């Protein structure tokens, strides 16, 4: 069972409110939801929409074709009508104009009636959310009575939670006992900053907004040097500003985790849309040669686990850990029954100021931490950093899940992908003769990748960028070029139905 | 009104030179202990040596008083001739990136608010590359000290013009001469709600010790401009000593504004007021964040939270 509902209108009309109420109810009712948020870089007006996808089994994606449209204005109706399936339904907000502030509740009511979910579920939700709910209950009933049942969703017995990548960052940080998070607002990393800031006191954490990203990362290095487990968050442009300090991390070996949530570049690009085009800079930004790990979660649950792993690795190997995400993962609302693995305990054992004399320098340094230009020490320090990377690689190889295999394990058709594109691939190949290799560790890269590529007859690379950055990385490390590529770079993630059609042609 | 301000003018109220603290044996030992084995690569005769001496004396006295131990201090240094002080001080710290010594230091305070943090920067470093951080540090008022080695020139990169270099200064990168008027950092500090602004002469070690001590004692962001001759580049700006005069510590903002205007970093005649040009008490960053207040109460950093 799968339904896709588009809720569209102008920014400020409360699209998110409708989808939030309905998904909360659906999840309690035992259904899996996936909510894609499409919005422009403006505060009021324009056109935004959410696609709320519903299923009785685990999903991580949405469709292009629509079963129900909830139109908050004319533009929404005109924009989405061409994608409405034959026999699809339309709910028009204008009909509930009289409900005023409770318009969204009336719309939720109408939607739930179409889905065949009893009104009492909405009433319960309203009582939970609002103090003054009498009027809201009346609006809910009005909306509910305006439609007739089209689908009958039976109550299912699933324990499901809704999670976005941004919330996952905050949960992961809490689980790993992060001390300090520093950021500067930039979509799509901002929601993680907000989520971390909200419960900072309760979570015994400090969340600081600095004057720019250069300051953000400089402060984080200072804080980490003083013994605090520290993380920064940003998007492409802000990350560019941080590059020089990534390099400072390399030479000072002060542990640091960077959360990089990509959006469409170059430049300011299409700021509220998604892309997987920053893998190159995640891997390489910063002058000089120094070790790092780059980890790309595909779902919020993986994201929670990866926060702890990234912090652990950065502390253990005094290294830079980059968590690579994007707008689609950070801001879409996933739902799941999975619980993340327990976070590894991270203890800071290094010497810190206050109790000993510790020196960290942006210059190559001697054993006292003071500058040196000696060729012997320079070479020795480089070797030390490279050996450290090898140790980290060995540790990751034997302890962490660097890739995941989904789909038909024995299929000769292999799809290769990563990050936020993973979810839609998993969903799209469910009924196909295909196996999906999800790359989670971008650096170091798993040796399993070569083995899988060699076993397959037909390999397809799927990414949301124009140059196939993972494909290039794999070619660099294995010498194998993946010829078949499915690349999308218009700021929108793949839809499941769209991907199925492409794969049908390619397999 | 105007008259009143002139009456209050500190020129009429000069104070006696503070007597240098009597060196005791322990201080000499502590000073030695604050040094390192690194080869000093400043030009012979560079006033940076005197700044280093003043810092050692100041900190040795502090440590001798048992109020703080050597480990409680942490420094950050920028890149430039001034930054080499990092290698010559046996103190914890980060020898950071050009322009970023302040946010690195603020980060240390977020990581452990109990640390006593001192940041060393040059005029090129902080008024060019790091100016945004300076203004925000005034605004945030973290409890730390900033010592600016202002030689009105980029020395380590061989003599280019900085934001405080004089108009007309001819360099290899600006052979037509510097067209701009210099910035007045004291005015910027005042405009940014700085809570401690001082100016000292790198050739006056006792005065440096006195002002550095006051700066470190100040609860908040203390900005100390050290007028430092470079004896290799932009020597035109040297020999200002005769125009310098000392003032008593000032808390009056009106007087501070007047003092700030006395020297414009360009002229060859204007008097240059030295000492604490302005100070006031405002809650510092560490006392406004409940998380940091808690760490201070318990005398721990996050590492032992
Ligand atoms: C990002 C960056 N840009 C440029 C430099 C080159 N650089 C090294 S020191 C310096 C200027 C130092 O001038 P100042 O801060 O006045 O210190 P001084 O040498 O005069 O003590 C510059 C520009 C650098 N290290 N990093
Ligand atoms: S160049 Fe100038 S500032 Fe640098 S060490 Fe020599 S005299 Fe001192």
């Amino acid at each position: 069972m799968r339904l896709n509902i588009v809720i569209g209108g102008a920014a400020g009309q409360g699209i998110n409110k409708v989808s939030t109420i309905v998904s909360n109810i659906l999840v309690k009712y035992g259904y899996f939801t996936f909510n894609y948020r499409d919005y422009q870089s403006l505060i009021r007006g324009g056109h935004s929409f959410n696609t709320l996808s519903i299923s009785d089994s685990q999903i991580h994606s949405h469709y292009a074709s629509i079963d129900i449209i909830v139109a908050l204005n004319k533009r929404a109706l005109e924009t989405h009508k061409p994608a409405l399936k034959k026999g699809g339904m339309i709910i028009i907000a204008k009909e509930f104009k009289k409900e005023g502030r409770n318009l969204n509740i009336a719309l939720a009511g109408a939607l739930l009636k179409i889905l065949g979910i009893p009104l009492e579920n909405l009433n319960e939700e309203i009582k939970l959310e609002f103090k003054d709910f009498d009027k809201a209950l009346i609006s809910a009933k009005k909306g509910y009575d305006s439609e007739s049942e089209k689908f009958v969703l039976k109550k299912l017995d699933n324990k499901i939670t809704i999670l976005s990548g941004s919330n996952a960052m905050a949960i992961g940080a809490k689980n790993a006992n992060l001390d300090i998070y520093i950021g500067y607002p930039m979509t799509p990393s901002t929601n993680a900053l907000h989520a971390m800031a909200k419960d900072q006191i309760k979570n015994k954490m400090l969340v600081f907004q600095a004057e720019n990203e250069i300051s953000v990362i400089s402060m984080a290095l200072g804080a980490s040097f003083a013994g605090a487990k520290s993380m920064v968050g940003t998007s492409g442009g802000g990350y560019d500003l941080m590059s020089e300090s990534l390099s400072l991390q390399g030479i000072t070996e002060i542990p640091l985790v960077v959360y990089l949530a990509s959006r469409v570049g170059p430049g300011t690009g299409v700021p509220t849309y998604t892309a997987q085009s920053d893998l190159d800079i995640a891997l390489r930004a910063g002058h000089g040669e120094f070790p790092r790990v780059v980890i790309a979660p595909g779902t919020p649950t993986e994201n929670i686990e990866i926060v702890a792993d990234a912090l652990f690795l950065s502390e253990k190997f005094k290294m830079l850990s980059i968590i690579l995400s994007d707008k689609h993962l950070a801001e879409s609302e996933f739902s799941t029954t999975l619980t993340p693995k327990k976070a590894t305990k991270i203890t800071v054992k290094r010497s810190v100021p206050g109790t000993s004399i510790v020196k960290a320098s942006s210059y190559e340094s001697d054993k006292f931490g003071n500058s040196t230009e000696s060729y012997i020490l320079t070479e020795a320090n480089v070797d030390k950093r490279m050996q450290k990377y090898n140790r980290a690689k060995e540790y990751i190889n034997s302890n962490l899940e660097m890739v995941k295999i989904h789909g038909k394990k024995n299929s000769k058709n292999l799809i290769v992908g990563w990050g936020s594109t993973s979810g839609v691939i998993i969903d799209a190949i469910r009924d196909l003769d295909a196996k999906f290799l999800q790359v989670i560790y971008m650096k170091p890269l798993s040796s399993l990748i070569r083995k899988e590529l060699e076993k397959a007859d037909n390999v397809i690379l799927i990414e949301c960028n124009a140059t196939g950055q993972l494909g290039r990385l794999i070619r660099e490390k294995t010498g194998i070029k993946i010829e078949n590529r499915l690349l999308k770079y218009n700021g929108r993630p793949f839809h499941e139905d769209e991907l199925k059609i492409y794969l049908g042609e390619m397999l | 009104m105007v008259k009143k301000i002139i009456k209050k003018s500190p020129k009429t109220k000069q104070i006696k030179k503070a007597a240098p603290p009597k060196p005791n044996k322990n201080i000499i030992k502590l000073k030695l202990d604050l040094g390192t084995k690194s080869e000093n690569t400043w030009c012979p005769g560079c006033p940076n040596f005197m700044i280093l001496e003043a810092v050692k004396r100041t900190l040795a006295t502090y440590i001798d008083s048992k109020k703080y131990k050597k480990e409680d201090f942490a420094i950050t240094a920028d890149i430039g001739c001034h930054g080499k002080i990092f290698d010559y001080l046996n103190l914890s710290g980060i020898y950071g990136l050009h322009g970023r010594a302040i946010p690195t230091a603020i980060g240390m305070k977020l990581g452990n608010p109990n640390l006593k943090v001192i940041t060393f920067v040059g005029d090129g470093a902080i008024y060019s590359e790091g100016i945004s951080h300076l203004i925000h540090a005034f605004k945030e008022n973290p409890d730390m000290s900033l010592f600016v080695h202002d030689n009105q020139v980029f020395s380590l990169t061989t003599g280019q013009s900085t934001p405080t270099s004089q108009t007309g200064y001819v360099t290899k990168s600006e052979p037509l001469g510097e067209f701009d008027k210099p910035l007045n950092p004291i005015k910027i500090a005042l405009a940014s709600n700085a809570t401690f602004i001082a100016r000292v002469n790198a050739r006056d070690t006792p005065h440096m010790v006195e002002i550095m001590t006051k700066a470190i004692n100040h609860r908040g962001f203390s900005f100390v401009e050290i007028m430092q001759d470079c004896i290799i580049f932009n020597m035109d700006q040297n020999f200002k000593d005769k125009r310098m005069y000392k003032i008593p510590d000032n808390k009056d903002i009106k007087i501070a504004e007047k003092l700030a205007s006395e020297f414009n970093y360009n002229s060859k005649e204007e008097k240059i007021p030295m000492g604490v040009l302005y100070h006031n008490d405002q809650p510092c960053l560490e006392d406004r964040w409940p998380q940091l207040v808690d760490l201070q109460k318990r005398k721990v950093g996050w590492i032992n939270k």
Side-chain angles (χ1 to χ4, degrees), chain B residues 43 60 95 155 158 160 173 214-215 237 296:
Chain B
C43 306
Y95 199 166
S155 291
T158 67
Q160 301 81 358
S173 66
K214 282 180 181 162
Q237 286 309 94
Q296 289 176 86

Side-chain angles (χ1 to χ4, degrees), chain A residues 179 211 354 358-360 362 371, chain B residues 71 86-87 89 95-96 133 305:
Chain A
D179 297 319
E211 69 269 24
V358 231
K359 290 192 143 199
S362 66
S371 309
Chain B
E71 288 76 11
F86 181 90
D87 288 337
L89 283 171
Y95 199 166
H133 307 309
K305 76 173 172 189

Side-chain angles (χ1 to χ4, degrees), chain B:
Chain B
M1 235 13 218
V2 177
K3 248 188 191 166
K4 210 171 172 185
I5 295 167
I6 291 169
K7 259 189 192 167
K8 271 193 183 172
S9 167
K11 279 181 210 167
T12 56
K13 266 198 197 172
Q14 296 198 9
I15 49 152
K16 284 175 262 159
K17 237 186 183 177
K22 275 187 207 142
N24 66 33
K25 265 195 193 149
N26 200 29
I27 298 230
I28 294 168
K29 200 180 141 271
L30 287 168
K31 257 177 57 191
L32 265 178
D33 193 35
L34 279 168
T36 67
K37 293 198 171 71
S38 287
E39 179 193 350
N40 194 309
T41 58
W42 282 322
C43 306
C46 173
N48 268 317
F49 282 100
M50 301 176 75
I51 300 176
L52 174 62
E53 169 63 19
V55 170
K56 282 188 187 168
R57 262 193 224 170
T58 307
L59 296 189
T61 312
Y62 243 106
I63 296 163
D64 183 52
S65 75
K66 298 268 184 327
K67 225 175 129 191
Y68 291 99
K69 49 188 198 314
K70 195 171 68 174
E71 288 76 11
D72 292 328
F73 289 92
I75 61 174
T76 66
D78 209 290
I79 305 299
C81 291
H82 64 273
K84 296 181 176 190
I85 202 166
F86 181 90
D87 288 337
Y88 312 143
L89 283 171
N90 180 23
L91 290 171
S92 289
I94 302 181
Y95 199 166
L97 293 172
H98 184 47
R100 317 300 163 204
I102 290 183
T104 311
I106 295 178
M108 284 184 189
K109 299 260 16 194
L110 297 178
N112 184 352
N114 302 295
L115 293 174
K116 294 297 284 176
V117 174
I118 304 170
T119 294
F120 300 92
V121 297
D123 48 308
I126 205 62
Y127 305 139
S128 256
E129 194 84 84
I131 184 77
S132 63
H133 307 309
L134 176 66
I135 291 168
H136 285 271
F138 288 135
K139 175 177 163 283
E140 286 159 8
N141 198 31
D143 181 26
M144 57 172 272
S145 304
L146 176 75
F147 297 167
V148 185
H149 304 218
D150 189 352
N151 52 10
Q152 300 187 256
V153 64
F154 281 122
S155 291
L156 193 60
T157 48
T158 67
Q160 301 81 358
S161 159
T162 73
T164 50
S165 296
Q166 70 280 17
T167 315
Y169 175 41
V170 175
T171 69
K172 283 180 277 183
S173 66
E174 290 174 310
L176 305 182
E178 173 62 65
F179 292 128
D180 308 341
K181 278 192 203 164
L183 283 183
N184 183 332
I186 309 292
K187 283 191 180 176
I188 293 176
L190 282 170
S192 313
N193 295 327
T195 58
F196 185 100
I197 307 169
R199 189 190 270 145
V200 289
N201 178 2
R203 294 195 186 279
D204 186 347
T205 313
H207 194 225
M208 273 195 288
V209 172
E210 178 198 330
I211 298 296
M212 284 175 176
T213 309
K214 282 180 181 162
I216 294 169
N217 283 339
H218 173 73
R219 183 107 181 119
F221 188 73
S222 47
F223 167 62
V224 181
E225 183 177 63
I226 307 172
M227 302 219 125
Q228 177 225 319
D229 293 345
C230 172
I231 57 171
I232 307 287
F233 302 110
N234 202 8
M235 285 171 62
D236 258 12
Q237 286 309 94
N238 291 355
F239 318 113
K240 292 191 286 275
D241 307 43
K242 271 192 232 116
R243 295 191 276 137
M244 296 176 182
Y245 70 98
K246 287 189 188 132
I247 57 150
D249 295 358
N250 171 46
K251 281 192 101 161
D252 185 320
I253 188 82
K254 285 260 160 60
I255 294 175
E257 280 161 9
K258 204 182 148 288
L259 291 168
S261 306
E262 283 186 23
F263 175 55
N264 68 6
Y265 297 77
N266 238 348
S267 92
K268 295 266 182 286
E269 281 100 46
E270 284 169 337
K271 292 263 185 210
I272 309 175
M274 312 298 284
V276 180
L277 305 180
Y278 182 67
H279 72 110
N280 75 9
D281 295 323
Q282 293 287 327
C284 61
L285 182 148
E286 296 86 331
D287 289 350
R288 292 188 309 240
W289 284 81
Q291 299 95 315
L292 300 181
V293 170
D294 178 57
L295 294 177
Q296 289 176 86
K297 259 190 215 146
R298 296 193 286 122
K299 292 195 168 51
V300 294
W302 290 95
I303 194 168
N304 298 316
K305 76 173 172 189

Side-chain angles (χ1 to χ4, degrees), chain A residues 40 93 118 222 239 275 347 370 374:
Chain A
Q40 297 173 285
Y239 179 84
T347 25
N370 297 323
S374 139

Side-chain angles (χ1 to χ4, degrees), chain A residues 149-166:
Chain A
E149 278 181 11
K150 168 112 197 261
F151 310 94
V152 183
L153 268 58
K154 285 203 197 76
K155 197 166 168 39
L156 300 177
D157 196 22
N158 293 315
K159 262 190 104 78
I160 302 172
T161 39
I162 296 180
L163 260 184
S164 68
S166 306

